[in-house]
Amino acid sequence: MLTKEKIREIIIRQIESDEKPEEQAGGSGHLAFKSFKLNGFDTKQLDNSRTEVKYRYTVFIETEFTVLPDNPPREYKYKKTIIIDKGGNIE
């Protein structure tokens, strides 16, 4: 059985693959920085070899125009589900 920490690492790798957090340039040439925060996850054992993981995270996009409190970073919230086998691979 996978530990909570190992599952967390798998989720982080999946989010990084999906979202590509890093500094980016838009079509207009303006810079932005994309980051994320894992808000939590729940697991459900499907059988002896597979675990269903439902996780929630928020993506933040900061630009050169981001100024708190008047113009905060944009936030996008997501909920996703993955199935992980006993070897830690996503099915």
Side-chain angles (χ1 to χ4, degrees):
M1 183 163 194
L2 298 168
T3 65
K4 292 279 188 186
E5 186 56 37
K6 180 66 175 171
I7 292 172
R8 185 179 188 286
E9 290 173 13
I10 293 167
I11 294 168
I12 296 292
R13 278 198 319 266
Q14 184 64 40
I15 295 171
E16 287 174 342
S17 174
D18 290 345
E19 300 297 338
K20 315 253 186 298
E22 59 188 32
E23 190 170 78
Q24 302 173 358
S28 63
H30 293 288
L31 294 176
F33 186 78
K34 188 177 191 182
S35 61
F36 69 89
K37 175 186 171 194
L38 178 61
N39 299 325
F41 64 93
D42 301 304
T43 61
K44 177 181 173 185
Q45 199 65 36
L46 299 178
D47 54 38
N48 287 338
S49 63
R50 299 182 317 143
T51 305
E52 177 184 78
V53 180
K54 294 183 178 187
Y55 59 98
R56 301 161 305 282
Y57 67 98
T58 304
V59 171
F60 302 95
I61 299 179
E62 299 176 66
T63 69
E64 57 199 272
F65 305 111
T66 300
V67 179
L68 293 174
D70 298 330
N71 191 20
R74 291 188 180 169
E75 295 183 18
Y76 301 93
K77 297 186 183 291
Y78 296 94
K79 294 179 186 176
K80 294 188 177 180
T81 302
I82 55 176
I83 307 292
I84 304 173
D85 68 18
K86 65 182 177 182
N89 302 305
I90 297 174
E91 295 183 356

